[in-house]
Amino acid sequence: NLLFLIFNLETMVIGITGSLGVGKTTVAGLFRRLGARVINADRIAHKIIKPGTPAYKRIISTFGRGVLRGNYISRRKLAAIVFSDRQALEKLNRITHPGIIRIIKDEIRGCNQNEVLVIEAALLIEAGLLSRIDKLVVVKSGQVVVKQRLKKSGFSPKQLKARLAVQLSQDKKIRLADYVIDNRASIRYTEEEVKKVWYDIIKNAAY
């Protein structure tokens, strides 16, 4: 009984990554439904740049008050700066990545012994978190599907190209993966793929 085996495991940390628009959050949500606790790196990034935080102050000092909308940092305004200037992006990463990584490490250390933790992060590999996870799941999808999803989200082709330029290619991520989930078809198909990965991870970890 695999549900029984879950409660006889050491902490299991699963990393979920993939290129922009492939459906990482959907896949992470399906893992949550199976019993995993999910950490979303993008939500952590939102948290650490709230007004008054050290990262907030450093971003204003580095990029100016033009990135603000009211008292809050506009991620859209900030993205317009950093995704057109690699040096600016590197500066932003030096400000935000240490805080994001610290919170993720704290979450991992705080896990219960029998817990399955999923970390969803677009830049999981690029941020050097690969050594902190037990299994890497890469989500992929077809280009047509990705373009449709991003168009609905308001991304222009130029914005998409700029963001993909700072990420490892899908092929490189897949070469590092323990599991690959194809999210180009129906949600039911993706759900079945996630279940296969989940039960395989739990089964192998139990022996």
Side-chain angles (χ1 to χ4, degrees):
N1 187 319
L2 289 175
L3 290 176
F4 172 78
L5 292 176
I6 290 173
F7 295 99
N8 288 275
L9 299 176
E10 296 296 326
T11 301
M12 171 64 63
V13 183
I14 302 170
I16 295 180
T17 193
S19 298
L20 194 65
V22 294
K24 298 180 292 296
T25 300
T26 296
V27 170
L30 292 170
F31 274 102
R32 180 186 284 111
R33 285 167 56 182
L34 290 168
R37 180 159 68 91
V38 176
I39 297 173
N40 182 295
D42 196 49
R43 292 198 185 106
I44 295 173
H46 276 279
K47 182 179 178 180
I48 68 168
I49 65 169
K50 285 184 176 180
T53 62
Y56 175 92
K57 295 173 182 177
R58 287 185 64 192
I59 289 171
I60 302 306
S61 174
T62 302
F63 300 103
R65 299 188 67 82
V67 299
L68 292 177
R69 177 177 291 170
N71 290 326
Y72 290 86
I73 291 172
S74 166
R75 285 163 62 92
R76 185 176 292 274
K77 290 181 179 180
L78 190 56
I81 295 171
V82 301
F83 288 112
S84 60
D85 182 340
R86 186 173 288 274
Q87 288 185 336
L89 179 61
E90 289 173 356
K91 288 179 183 178
L92 179 62
N93 288 343
R94 284 196 294 270
I95 293 170
T96 59
H97 279 189
I100 295 169
I101 292 169
R102 183 176 63 253
I103 290 172
I104 289 174
K105 288 179 179 178
D106 287 346
E107 290 281 353
I108 293 172
R109 282 193 292 268
C111 280
N112 296 323
Q113 181 178 349
N114 300 315
E115 198 162 20
V116 179
L117 179 67
V118 166
I119 301 169
E120 179 204 339
L123 299 178
L124 187 147
I125 299 168
E126 294 88 337
L129 284 168
L130 205 54
S131 63
R132 294 284 172 170
I133 65 173
D134 298 304
K135 296 294 180 182
L136 177 65
V137 176
V138 172
V139 183
K140 71 173 186 176
S141 192
Q143 288 187 354
V144 174
V145 176
V146 168
K147 287 179 180 178
Q148 289 173 344
R149 288 175 184 156
L150 294 176
K151 187 176 180 180
K152 289 180 182 178
S153 299
F155 282 94
S156 69
K158 184 178 179 181
Q159 289 172 323
L160 174 58
K161 184 177 180 181
R163 296 202 177 202
L164 290 177
V166 302
Q167 298 185 10
L168 285 177
S169 69
Q170 179 171 277
D171 288 343
K172 288 182 180 178
K173 289 182 178 182
I174 287 173
R175 285 200 289 271
L176 294 169
D178 295 295
Y179 300 92
V180 177
I181 291 177
D182 192 335
N183 189 37
R184 78 181 72 194
S186 67
I187 186 64
R188 180 168 292 182
Y189 175 84
T190 302
E191 186 175 9
E192 289 304 312
E193 290 290 291
V194 169
K195 284 180 180 178
K196 288 177 186 176
V197 170
W198 170 265
Y199 288 119
D200 192 65
I201 288 174
I202 299 305
K203 179 183 68 177
N204 289 329
Y207 294 101

